[in-house]
Amino acid sequence: MIPPRPRTPTELAELACPRCGAPREAEPRACTKCGHAPRTTAGICDMRVDPNASGETDPLLPGDARGALAAVADGRDYKAVLERLLLELPEARSNRLDLVLRECRGAWLPLVQARGGRALYVGNPLSGTVVGLARTGFRTTVLDLDPQRLALAQARNEWVVPGRCVPLLGGDSARLPFRDRAFDVVVQELGPPEGLAGRGYALAELVRVCAGELALVADNRYGYKRSSGEKSSFRVLRPLEYLRRALRAPRGVRSLAGHRRALRRAGLGADRAFALYPHQSDFAYVASFDARGPHLFIGPKERANRAKMLVHKVGGFPLLAPSFLFLARRDASTARERLQPVLEELARKLDEPLPVIDQLVATRGNTALVQTAVPGRDERDPRGRWTLHVTVSPLQETQARTHFARYQQLQREFPSFPIPTPLHAGTFQSDDQGIGLFLTCERRLPGLTAPQHTGEHAMAEPMYRASAEHLAKLVVAPARPIDEQVWQELFGAKFDLVARYAAVASTLEWLARMRERSREWLLGEPMPRVIYHADLRSKHVQLDAAGRVLGYLDWGSSESSDLPYVDLFHLLVHERKQESGMSTGAAWRLAIGRDKLRPFERAALEDYQQRLGLSDRYCRAIEELYPLFVTAMAEKNWEYSRPRWMHRAFGV
């Protein structure tokens, strides 16, 4: 277990007896009113009424974390401990844990009105929302009933946001172990109905300990889909299952109107309601049900779904949205969202009109992506139309800085290369001056990202043609033969990194075999160096209505001097995967050698090859080694390695 960390009186000053409610001192003495005495369990203050009480352990089973906690107690690096745990768990639980840990679960935090102070988190302590709370200026008390799950969560917190979270064992009493109005913000994430026993605390009890704002994340009793527990995998409920849940919803699962009535009955004076879509366990969009944003983005593919558009047209989205977020206050005042002062400062710095939040996206890269617009202004007027990347996770700040710096480099050295205009990057402090939000701001491009046109070959052909031309411009060093030193730098180092985490015997064998073959194929081959995007998928290409490329987005994983041809090949493989629904491995195998590609796909690769003077031998080697490049980029930029990822993605 984690060794005890000394608690200061400030950290525990909000405590009250969970049995009788009498205020407590910080020292672990018995309650003078009822005799309840706190304990220390696993180095954590234990306020359980029953010392043997236990709660749900999702996504783990009892005992899963025992070895990991022993390793942390022995001084092992938390990142290595987590990677080992993910590898040792059965695949379903490993994937579920990875999903729960994602910090972008807190992508809605820029909408909170409080700008710092004390926060209480009630829910799954492993949730990435806890990191987001601490990251955005709150000293966060994390309450849970399971000692091992809470201890593992605290090890994560000390790794990512050291000193900003206080774990507390408790939750077996109807009364929260805190004084009245102890916290500026209270967050309760109820989780899916099948995953949380007890369904959390009564709203009245949450309101009792809340001095300002309550954030409630909960499912909709009429929601039509659920997360399967795998990333980007959702399940539409069968008719009988849907009716059963709608008619006999678990405690705490209500409709939109039902939640709002319950919030008012609990004494909250004002609330805002949002959809977490597609589902709270794995959402991409935060969309307001009110007239003010952020709004739900509805692309052309969604518009082609007549049933969905009919539901949307008749106002059915609030009724059927799978999950909700409610931000409610004790008073009826309309305090500003914490992002509002940031928008005001940016408007002053850039001398542009003050915009509002138009869209809010939780990205796979654990950032909150905010699209702004100026109400009443024509979309063709670029002023006030920005894209903000807000780093919810401190571990993503490096990527955000790389992203912005690469924009500046491209703008300076390749002015004709299409990218959004970089406008500003910096840290905006919360009321707690020790922490703030680092974000980047760029011009919001018109048009749509390429996935909105997936399958439309009339759009794909000009996109590939332009991409070949544009990417061929990014040469930073002339062609030279690949020698041992260059091979080790650009290939050998990637093999070393990927092999370190591969874990699967067949994957390790593939890496060893391809390592030797790559030397045979590539030593002596002439090759220029280019700026390498490293994650150029169709969602990072912005198109106009005719398929013309308006800009290449999201350069946080990029390299200033690396291999040519990989970016264009990656764009093509990933788009084939998206279009057909095939696996990444199947799309890769289809593209090797180009024989099975469409003429316009083949023409784009050949055009790029000719522009840079690359040999057939070099290009074929890059195609064969493609899984290496994708996995090396991921391993370099992930906060922690995902076990068996290369094997699952490519089948090697």
Side-chain angles (χ1 to χ4, degrees):
M1 294 289 185
I2 299 173
R5 183 169 69 85
R7 300 286 184 261
T8 66
T10 302
E11 287 179 316
L12 299 179
E14 72 276 7
L15 290 179
C17 179
R19 181 181 291 163
C20 70
R24 296 199 52 82
E25 301 298 329
E27 292 75 17
R29 295 184 299 208
C31 175
T32 56
K33 188 173 180 180
C34 73
H36 173 266
R39 296 161 299 278
T40 298
T41 302
I44 297 171
C45 181
D46 186 347
M47 292 291 287
R48 290 176 293 181
V49 174
D50 178 358
N52 298 313
S54 60
E56 55 107 3
T57 60
D58 178 63
L60 306 174
L61 293 180
D64 276 350
R66 189 175 294 116
L69 292 172
V72 171
D74 288 340
R76 291 277 304 279
D77 174 66
Y78 172 79
K79 177 177 180 289
V81 170
L82 175 61
E83 289 169 345
R84 172 55 58 181
L85 175 61
L86 288 167
L87 182 61
E88 292 175 346
L89 287 173
E91 188 169 327
R93 294 213 297 280
S94 178
N95 292 340
R96 169 69 178 148
L97 175 58
D98 184 35
L99 194 63
V100 170
L101 288 168
R102 293 176 61 219
E103 286 93 349
C104 66
R105 292 168 70 96
W108 49 267
L109 284 164
L111 301 174
V112 170
Q113 295 175 2
R115 294 190 62 202
R118 299 197 61 81
L120 170 66
Y121 175 85
V122 180
N124 191 326
L126 292 166
S127 170
T129 301
V130 174
V131 173
L133 275 168
R135 174 66 173 164
T136 49
F138 297 99
R139 296 196 174 274
T140 305
T141 298
V142 184
L143 181 70
D144 193 40
L145 193 53
D146 182 70
Q148 288 196 355
R149 186 171 72 164
L150 185 58
L152 185 64
Q154 183 61 10
R156 182 273 314 272
N157 298 338
E158 288 298 308
W159 177 53
V160 182
V161 280
R164 300 200 63 84
C165 295
V166 180
L168 186 69
L169 271 169
D172 61 331
S173 167
R175 183 180 182 86
L176 284 163
F178 306 108
R179 304 184 186 197
D180 294 355
R181 303 198 179 199
F183 299 97
D184 301 285
V185 172
V186 174
V187 177
Q188 178 164 271
E189 281 186 324
L190 284 176
E194 60 274 15
L196 183 60
R199 306 304 305 146
Y201 279 90
L203 283 175
E205 185 61 10
L206 296 172
V207 172
R208 180 184 67 79
V209 302
C210 177
E213 194 167 5
L214 171 68
L216 176 67
V217 176
D219 272 355
N220 178 8
R221 71 182 301 167
Y222 301 125
Y224 71 98
K225 71 165 68 171
R226 294 285 186 269
S227 168
S228 70
E230 297 271 352
K231 285 182 182 177
S232 304
S233 175
F234 303 94
R235 184 174 63 87
V236 176
L237 302 183
R238 296 185 297 273
L240 288 178
E241 183 184 13
Y242 178 86
L243 286 173
R244 186 166 57 250
R245 290 201 181 191
L247 296 174
R248 301 182 63 182
R251 175 174 170 261
V253 178
R254 304 179 175 93
S255 65
L256 175 64
H259 276 295
R260 283 187 143 160
R261 285 194 298 269
L263 289 167
R264 287 194 293 271
R265 285 197 301 268
L268 295 170
D271 74 83
R272 293 192 65 198
F274 306 83
L276 299 181
Y277 188 81
H279 185 258
Q280 59 152 309
S281 297
D282 188 18
F283 64 90
Y285 296 101
V286 182
S288 175
F289 294 123
D290 307 319
R292 56 193 282 206
H295 305 292
L296 181 67
F297 171 73
I298 303 176
K301 292 193 175 298
E302 292 286 315
R303 294 182 187 279
N305 187 321
R306 293 185 177 181
K308 279 191 175 182
M309 289 309 299
L310 177 61
V311 169
H312 185 74
K313 186 175 182 179
V314 300
F317 181 59
L319 176 67
L320 298 174
S323 305
F324 300 131
L325 162 70
F326 296 91
L327 298 177
R329 296 185 59 80
R330 269 188 168 276
D331 55 54
S333 65
T334 55
R336 299 186 303 169
E337 297 161 347
R338 66 175 296 123
L339 198 60
Q340 185 62 27
V342 175
L343 298 180
E344 292 170 358
E345 185 173 344
L346 284 170
R348 286 194 297 270
K349 286 179 178 291
L350 302 174
D351 192 23
E352 295 189 7
L354 177 65
V356 297
I357 299 174
D358 184 33
Q359 293 166 12
L360 176 55
V361 180
T363 74
R364 292 291 176 197
N366 284 328
T367 60
L369 188 145
V370 179
Q371 304 270 36
T372 70
V374 179
R377 282 189 177 265
D378 193 307
E379 291 185 3
R380 291 171 294 184
D381 184 349
R383 294 175 300 163
R385 292 182 64 83
W386 310 326
T387 297
L388 309 182
H389 296 261
V390 184
T391 56
V392 179
S393 165
L395 300 175
Q396 293 302 315
E397 187 171 321
T398 298
Q399 277 195 289
R401 292 183 183 277
T402 298
H403 162 76
F404 195 79
R406 195 71 66 221
Y407 272 166
Q408 292 178 314
Q409 179 191 4
L410 290 166
Q411 187 181 53
R412 182 176 62 251
E413 298 177 12
F414 302 93
S416 65
F417 187 82
I419 54 169
T421 302
L423 299 174
H424 185 79
T427 300
F428 293 82
Q429 296 292 345
S430 67
D431 286 347
D432 179 346
Q433 293 300 305
I435 198 165
L437 290 171
F438 179 83
L439 58 83
T440 66
C441 175
E442 64 207 50
R443 181 69 65 206
R444 180 182 178 183
L445 295 177
L448 297 170
T449 54
Q452 300 301 324
H453 300 290
T454 292
E456 301 175 29
H457 296 171
M459 300 288 283
E461 183 172 358
M463 177 185 75
Y464 286 136
R465 185 169 59 247
S467 296
E469 177 185 351
H470 293 151
L471 294 171
K473 296 177 180 179
L474 300 184
V475 175
V476 294
R480 297 184 185 280
I482 298 173
D483 57 20
E484 287 283 356
Q485 181 179 351
V486 171
W487 182 90
Q488 179 56 39
E489 177 191 353
L490 299 182
F491 296 92
K494 293 180 175 69
F495 276 110
D496 294 341
L497 174 62
V498 174
R500 192 180 311 151
Y501 298 106
V504 179
S506 62
T507 306
L508 290 167
E509 190 276 331
W510 184 89
L511 288 167
R513 184 174 70 253
M514 299 307 289
R515 185 184 189 106
E516 292 307 312
R517 288 186 179 179
S518 69
R519 292 170 57 83
E520 297 171 9
W521 293 334
L522 293 165
L523 286 176
E525 286 294 317
M527 178 205 75
R529 292 196 182 208
V530 299
I531 294 178
Y532 174 42
H533 185 287
D535 192 24
L536 189 60
R537 293 172 282 166
S538 55
K539 71 175 185 176
H540 295 150
V541 183
Q542 193 86 355
L543 304 177
D544 70 7
R548 289 185 291 264
V549 175
L550 301 176
Y552 300 92
L553 316 175
D554 293 352
W555 292 75
S557 302
S558 64
E559 302 288 346
S560 60
S561 177
D562 214 292
L563 298 167
Y565 191 72
V566 181
D567 276 336
L568 185 60
F569 189 74
H570 183 40
L571 175 63
L572 189 150
V573 169
H574 196 270
E575 183 64 3
R576 265 303 185 99
K577 168 183 177 287
Q578 294 295 103
E579 179 182 348
S580 65
M582 66 176 68
S583 69
T584 306
W588 160 55
R589 290 177 176 88
L590 179 147
I592 293 174
R594 309 179 191 171
D595 294 339
K596 298 179 181 179
L597 296 180
R598 302 181 181 105
F600 66 85
E601 296 169 328
R602 192 161 51 246
L605 293 174
E606 290 170 352
D607 180 42
Y608 181 91
Q609 177 183 353
Q610 184 177 9
R611 287 173 183 270
L612 269 66
L614 302 173
S615 69
D616 291 341
R617 186 180 181 88
Y618 172 86
C619 292
R620 180 58 182 260
I622 294 298
E623 293 167 8
E624 295 280 357
L625 295 170
Y626 171 72
L628 170 72
F629 306 126
V630 177
T631 310
M633 179 280 297
E635 293 290 4
K636 181 178 179 181
N637 292 286
W638 280 334
E639 297 96 330
Y640 51 86
S641 178
R642 276 58 167 176
R644 299 175 288 269
W645 185 86
M646 187 177 187
H647 177 72
R648 286 186 283 124
F650 295 101
V652 297

